Tab-separated table of all heavy atoms in Angstrom:
chain	number	residue	atom	x	y	z
A	460	PHE	N	-58.636	29.445	-73.587
A	460	PHE	CA	-59.179	28.090	-73.560
A	460	PHE	C	-60.363	28.079	-72.597
A	460	PHE	O	-60.246	28.568	-71.466
A	460	PHE	CB	-58.107	27.102	-73.083
A	460	PHE	CG	-56.924	27.045	-74.013
A	460	PHE	CD1	-55.746	27.732	-73.712
A	460	PHE	CD2	-56.996	26.334	-75.207
A	460	PHE	CE1	-54.658	27.693	-74.574
A	460	PHE	CE2	-55.911	26.291	-76.075
A	460	PHE	CZ	-54.743	26.976	-75.764
A	480	LEU	N	-66.450	34.995	-69.645
A	480	LEU	CA	-65.587	34.312	-70.614
A	480	LEU	C	-65.916	32.829	-70.675
A	480	LEU	O	-66.093	32.267	-71.758
A	480	LEU	CB	-64.124	34.542	-70.209
A	480	LEU	CG	-63.072	33.763	-70.979
A	480	LEU	CD1	-63.162	34.065	-72.470
A	480	LEU	CD2	-61.695	34.091	-70.435
A	481	ASP	N	-65.983	32.186	-69.501
A	481	ASP	CA	-66.315	30.764	-69.447
A	481	ASP	C	-67.308	30.573	-68.302
A	481	ASP	O	-66.932	30.670	-67.133
A	481	ASP	CB	-65.036	29.943	-69.191
A	481	ASP	CG	-65.302	28.442	-69.196
A	481	ASP	OD1	-66.480	28.034	-69.116
A	481	ASP	OD2	-64.318	27.690	-69.274
A	483	ASN	N	-68.441	28.106	-66.970
A	483	ASN	CA	-68.139	26.989	-66.073
A	483	ASN	C	-66.838	27.182	-65.299
A	483	ASN	O	-66.348	26.250	-64.677
A	483	ASN	CB	-68.068	25.684	-66.870
A	483	ASN	CG	-69.389	25.372	-67.534
A	483	ASN	OD1	-70.439	25.429	-66.896
A	483	ASN	ND2	-69.362	25.099	-68.822
A	484	CYS	N	-66.255	28.389	-65.386
A	484	CYS	CA	-64.973	28.632	-64.722
A	484	CYS	C	-65.185	29.502	-63.484
A	484	CYS	O	-65.894	30.500	-63.532
A	484	CYS	CB	-64.008	29.321	-65.690
A	484	CYS	SG	-62.404	29.694	-64.957
A	485	ALA	N	-64.564	29.080	-62.377
A	485	ALA	CA	-64.731	29.810	-61.116
A	485	ALA	C	-63.595	30.792	-60.879
A	485	ALA	O	-63.470	31.342	-59.790
A	485	ALA	CB	-64.806	28.814	-59.968
A	486	CYS	N	-62.757	31.064	-61.890
A	486	CYS	CA	-61.601	31.928	-61.644
A	486	CYS	C	-62.045	33.375	-61.438
A	486	CYS	O	-63.148	33.766	-61.791
A	486	CYS	CB	-60.564	31.806	-62.759
A	486	CYS	SG	-60.811	32.903	-64.180
A	487	ARG	N	-61.169	34.162	-60.864
A	487	ARG	CA	-61.506	35.541	-60.517
A	487	ARG	C	-61.834	36.384	-61.748
A	487	ARG	O	-62.550	37.375	-61.649
A	487	ARG	CB	-60.371	36.168	-59.714
A	487	ARG	CG	-59.022	36.144	-60.434
A	487	ARG	CD	-58.070	37.206	-59.912
A	487	ARG	NE	-57.504	36.894	-58.608
A	487	ARG	CZ	-56.874	37.796	-57.855
A	487	ARG	NH1	-56.731	39.031	-58.285
A	487	ARG	NH2	-56.368	37.439	-56.699
A	488	VAL	N	-61.338	35.979	-62.911
A	488	VAL	CA	-61.625	36.734	-64.136
A	488	VAL	C	-63.048	36.440	-64.599
A	488	VAL	O	-63.835	37.364	-64.871
A	488	VAL	CB	-60.605	36.370	-65.238
A	488	VAL	CG1	-60.904	37.115	-66.529
A	488	VAL	CG2	-59.189	36.661	-64.750
A	489	CYS	N	-63.390	35.167	-64.675
A	489	CYS	CA	-64.727	34.781	-65.147
A	489	CYS	C	-65.810	35.208	-64.162
A	489	CYS	O	-66.948	35.448	-64.546
A	489	CYS	CB	-64.779	33.281	-65.392
A	489	CYS	SG	-63.709	32.810	-66.769
A	490	GLN	N	-65.467	35.299	-62.864
A	490	GLN	CA	-66.449	35.696	-61.858
A	490	GLN	C	-66.740	37.198	-61.916
A	490	GLN	O	-67.764	37.646	-61.432
A	490	GLN	CB	-65.941	35.333	-60.457
A	490	GLN	CG	-65.897	33.844	-60.196
A	490	GLN	CD	-67.239	33.162	-60.412
A	490	GLN	OE1	-68.244	33.532	-59.815
A	490	GLN	NE2	-67.278	32.197	-61.332
A	511	LEU	N	-55.245	39.400	-67.098
A	511	LEU	CA	-56.499	38.657	-66.898
A	511	LEU	C	-56.557	37.420	-67.788
A	511	LEU	O	-56.995	36.356	-67.357
A	511	LEU	CB	-57.704	39.580	-67.167
A	511	LEU	CG	-57.824	40.802	-66.239
A	511	LEU	CD1	-59.087	41.602	-66.559
A	511	LEU	CD2	-57.820	40.396	-64.766
A	514	ILE	N	-54.360	34.707	-66.283
A	514	ILE	CA	-54.945	34.105	-65.076
A	514	ILE	C	-56.022	33.098	-65.470
A	514	ILE	O	-56.067	31.975	-64.960
A	514	ILE	CB	-55.526	35.197	-64.135
A	514	ILE	CG1	-54.382	36.025	-63.529
A	514	ILE	CG2	-56.392	34.568	-63.036
A	514	ILE	CD1	-54.842	37.243	-62.750
A	515	HIS	N	-56.877	33.479	-66.414
A	515	HIS	CA	-57.934	32.530	-66.801
A	515	HIS	C	-57.347	31.262	-67.441
A	515	HIS	O	-57.735	30.152	-67.081
A	515	HIS	CB	-58.964	33.145	-67.754
A	515	HIS	CG	-59.790	32.062	-68.374
A	515	HIS	ND1	-60.824	31.443	-67.707
A	515	HIS	CD2	-59.649	31.384	-69.556
A	515	HIS	CE1	-61.286	30.441	-68.451
A	515	HIS	NE2	-60.601	30.388	-69.576
A	516	ASN	N	-56.433	31.433	-68.393
A	516	ASN	CA	-55.900	30.232	-69.069
A	516	ASN	C	-55.208	29.289	-68.091
A	516	ASN	O	-55.358	28.079	-68.168
A	516	ASN	CB	-54.928	30.626	-70.184
A	516	ASN	CG	-55.643	30.789	-71.528
A	516	ASN	OD1	-56.860	30.619	-71.620
A	516	ASN	ND2	-54.880	31.119	-72.560
A	518	SER	N	-55.867	29.046	-64.915
A	518	SER	CA	-56.930	28.458	-64.121
A	518	SER	C	-57.572	27.298	-64.878
A	518	SER	O	-57.842	26.238	-64.303
A	518	SER	CB	-57.965	29.535	-63.801
A	518	SER	OG	-59.014	28.983	-63.075
A	519	PHE	N	-57.786	27.476	-66.176
A	519	PHE	CA	-58.396	26.424	-66.986
A	519	PHE	C	-57.505	25.177	-67.027
A	519	PHE	O	-57.975	24.051	-66.866
A	519	PHE	CB	-58.671	26.942	-68.399
A	519	PHE	CG	-59.412	25.944	-69.248
A	519	PHE	CD1	-60.773	25.745	-69.080
A	519	PHE	CD2	-58.744	25.185	-70.196
A	519	PHE	CE1	-61.457	24.797	-69.832
A	519	PHE	CE2	-59.413	24.239	-70.958
A	519	PHE	CZ	-60.779	24.040	-70.782
A	522	ASP	N	-57.533	23.530	-63.532
A	522	ASP	CA	-58.814	22.839	-63.322
A	522	ASP	C	-58.866	21.542	-64.117
A	522	ASP	O	-59.402	20.532	-63.646
A	522	ASP	CB	-59.981	23.730	-63.765
A	522	ASP	CG	-60.378	24.721	-62.689
A	522	ASP	OD1	-59.909	24.559	-61.545
A	522	ASP	OD2	-61.140	25.655	-63.001
B	810	ZN	ZN1	-61.861	31.741	-65.846
Side-chain angles (χ1 to χ4, degrees):
F460 297 100
L480 172 58
D481 183 345
N483 298 312
C484 179
C486 87
R487 57 157 74 194
V488 179
C489 293
Q490 291 304 304
L511 298 183
I514 291 172
H515 166 78
N516 269 1
S518 178
F519 185 77
D522 277 348

